[in-house]
Amino acid sequence: MYHDPQMVQRCTLLSIKTGGCPETCNYCSQSSSWSGKTGMKAEKLMDADEVFEAAKRAKAAGSTRFCMGAAWRSPSQVGQRQWSRVLEMVRRVRSLDLEVCTTLGMLTPQQAEELRQAGLTAYNHNLDTSPEYYPKVTSSRTYQDRLDTLKHVQDAGISVCAGGIIGLGEEEADRQGLLLQLASLPKHPESVPINRLVAVKGTPFESHQAPSGMDLVRCIATARILMPQTVVRLSAGRLELSRGDQALAFMAGANSIFDGDKLLTTPNNDRDDDTEMFQDLGLVSRPAMLPY
């Protein structure tokens, strides 16, 4: 056994730059392609001081990993001043003895190296689904683009966080294909977030039905079998799950959650409810910086 089954990491995810993304992910509220329907307005990159204060609050609330997401295609689309601000955010959050993760779109090898030097713990870059189904999810990038960024991240010595979303209209074979892709990387990802679609009004996937709790549990169990050392993260879509569904997810191998009232732009479980759930299920919080 590679993990203590009672130990579950609590993570916080903050959108440091919201809306105005040029990508065309059919599930995402932040794409500029349907901002007129979603009502999502593009916002400026947050100040480093704001992010630092948010990270301090997250740590005080029990989180041991702080994740930052920017609605970009890649850092290459923004100026050096904004990129330098992101690197400053990474350095300052890491100074709190928190694990630091970012999701900033596609990276060049140089950008990955700069993030490593700033102290980044992990980089999130989800594959979303199988290679076969991916063209139905977005038309603005290829599956190989995603794999290339994962390679740059691994080559830079940063831990890879890569997973997917179920409920995009895919078949069961596509879920299997996603997990096989992740398990076939040169090194298994340090963490694999399994997301349950949160359909957002105004996006092309607004009418998609979220998969059942058991569908999610099956994906988590399969990920755990295929990648036994990986941290499997019970991610978006948890708000509508019963406590029983979540308990099954932990029994199946999930050992991380995202807490706080929001995940980028969608609602999330209340921290107090999660604290009560941890007590009911006999779970303990995973400290930061444990070896993966």
Side-chain angles (χ1 to χ4, degrees), residues 249-270:
F250 296 130
M251 292 175 66
N255 47 0
S256 172
I257 61 168
F258 286 90
D259 66 8
D261 60 358
K262 186 180 286 189
L263 288 182
L264 296 179
T265 63
T266 57
N268 192 42
N269 303 60
D270 182 81

Side-chain angles (χ1 to χ4, degrees), residues 84-142:
S84 296
R85 194 188 312 171
V86 171
L87 296 176
E88 180 187 356
M89 292 174 189
V90 172
R91 285 190 289 268
R92 294 182 66 180
V93 173
R94 186 61 184 266
S95 74
L96 296 172
D97 292 325
L98 288 169
E99 296 177 14
V100 191
C101 181
T102 57
T103 179
L104 310 167
M106 294 181 288
L107 294 181
T108 65
Q110 179 180 343
Q111 290 161 348
E113 177 60 26
E114 290 173 352
L115 285 167
R116 185 196 65 78
Q117 291 178 5
L120 191 70
T121 309
Y123 193 81
N124 169 258
H125 202 61
N126 289 334
L127 294 181
D128 290 344
T129 187
S130 69
E132 294 79 12
Y133 193 72
Y134 195 71
K136 296 182 180 179
V137 175
T138 183
S139 59
S140 56
R141 59 174 181 259
T142 67

Side-chain angles (χ1 to χ4, degrees), residues 217-239:
V217 168
R218 290 187 187 98
C219 286
I220 288 170
T222 305
R224 169 58 61 230
I225 292 168
L226 290 173
M227 295 166 280
Q229 291 181 272
T230 293
V231 175
V232 180
R233 302 190 185 273
L234 178 57
S235 302
R238 193 165 58 88
L239 185 59

Side-chain angles (χ1 to χ4, degrees), residues 22-253:
E23 299 280 24
T24 59
C25 303
N26 289 326
Y27 56 82
C28 186
S29 63
Q30 301 199 66
S31 174
S32 59
S33 296
W34 26 88
S35 58
K37 294 181 179 179
T38 61
M40 180 66 65
K41 295 181 179 179
E43 299 177 5
K44 295 181 180 179
L45 181 67
M46 291 177 66
D47 291 332
D49 287 343
E50 290 181 90
V51 173
F52 186 63
E53 290 301 316
K56 289 197 292 186
R57 291 192 298 271
K59 181 176 181 179
S63 289
T64 58
R65 175 177 282 216
F66 191 76
C67 309
M68 297 175 281
W72 292 332
R73 175 176 170 82
S74 75
S76 301
Q77 80 178 71
V78 302
Q80 184 58 42
R81 289 178 62 183
Q82 291 190 65
W83 177 236
S84 296
R85 194 188 312 171
V86 171
L87 296 176
E88 180 187 356
M89 292 174 189
V90 172
R91 285 190 289 268
R92 294 182 66 180
V93 173
R94 186 61 184 266
S95 74
L96 296 172
D97 292 325
L98 288 169
E99 296 177 14
V100 191
C101 181
T102 57
T103 179
L104 310 167
M106 294 181 288
L107 294 181
T108 65
Q110 179 180 343
Q111 290 161 348
E113 177 60 26
E114 290 173 352
L115 285 167
R116 185 196 65 78
Q117 291 178 5
L120 191 70
T121 309
Y123 193 81
N124 169 258
H125 202 61
N126 289 334
L127 294 181
D128 290 344
T129 187
S130 69
E132 294 79 12
Y133 193 72
Y134 195 71
K136 296 182 180 179
V137 175
T138 183
S139 59
S140 56
R141 59 174 181 259
T142 67
Y143 210 77
Q144 188 59 50
D145 289 333
R146 307 301 275 181
L147 295 173
D148 288 346
T149 287
L150 294 182
K151 182 179 186 303
H152 300 332
V153 169
Q154 286 189 323
D155 288 350
I158 299 170
S159 293
V160 165
C161 174
I165 307 171
I166 62 172
L168 301 176
E170 76 283 353
E171 301 290 337
E172 190 171 282
D174 294 304
R175 298 173 187 176
Q176 296 166 359
L178 164 68
L179 295 174
L180 284 172
Q181 281 287 319
L182 293 167
S184 299
L185 292 173
K187 181 180 179 182
H188 286 171
E190 167 257 314
S191 51
V192 171
I194 305 294
N195 297 276
R196 181 172 172 263
L197 178 68
V198 178
V200 178
K201 185 177 180 180
T203 64
F205 284 178
E206 65 178 355
S207 61
H208 283 39
Q209 296 296 311
S212 70
M214 285 306 300
D215 285 335
L216 185 67
V217 168
R218 290 187 187 98
C219 286
I220 288 170
T222 305
R224 169 58 61 230
I225 292 168
L226 290 173
M227 295 166 280
Q229 291 181 272
T230 293
V231 175
V232 180
R233 302 190 185 273
L234 178 57
S235 302
R238 193 165 58 88
L239 185 59
E240 296 178 353
L241 295 179
S242 69
R243 187 163 295 182
D245 286 335
Q246 293 182 75
L248 283 173
F250 296 130
M251 292 175 66

Side-chain angles (χ1 to χ4, degrees), residues 271-288:
R271 276 198 174 99
D272 290 341
D273 290 342
D274 283 337
T275 298
E276 183 181 293
M277 177 178 69
F278 270 50
Q279 292 171 347
D280 285 350
L281 300 181
L283 303 175
V284 296
S285 295
R286 179 188 179 111

